[in-house]
């Protein structure tokens, strides 16, 4: 769905400091309705949104 899955942060020496991963849940129209963010394997943020569609 072309959303970010991973984001890595490195220090000046090129050593991996942190890896952030993203997980998405999509609705029937292909829009994300839940976005979970984990840092170094630990869940630290959940965003949920409700989308109302009009005909």
């Amino acid at each position: 769905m072309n959303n970010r899955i991973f984001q890595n942060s490195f220090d000046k020496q090129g050593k991996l400091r942190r890896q952030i991963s993203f997980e998405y849940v999509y609705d029937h129209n292909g829009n994300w309705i839940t976005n979970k963010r984990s840092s170094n394997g630990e869940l630290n943020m959940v965003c949920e949104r409700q989308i109302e569609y009009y005909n």
Side-chain angles (χ1 to χ4, degrees):
M1 294 289 197
N2 210 20
N3 288 315
R4 182 182 301 179
I5 303 297
F6 291 101
Q7 178 179 335
N8 295 322
S9 297
F10 299 91
D11 62 15
K12 291 181 180 180
Q13 290 75 34
K15 183 178 176 185
L16 181 64
R17 287 185 49 229
R18 177 176 42 201
Q19 183 179 59
I20 300 172
S21 61
F22 301 87
E23 179 184 340
Y24 302 91
V25 176
Y26 299 93
D27 67 7
H28 62 279
N29 285 320
N31 295 304
W32 69 263
I33 53 174
T34 303
N35 175 358
K36 297 178 182 178
R37 184 175 117 175
S38 300
S39 180
N40 295 328
E42 184 178 321
L43 182 65
N44 59 9
M45 185 175 76
V46 176
C47 292
E48 293 184 315
R49 65 182 183 176
Q50 188 173 29
I51 301 172
E52 190 171 334
Y53 295 100
Y54 295 95
N55 292 327

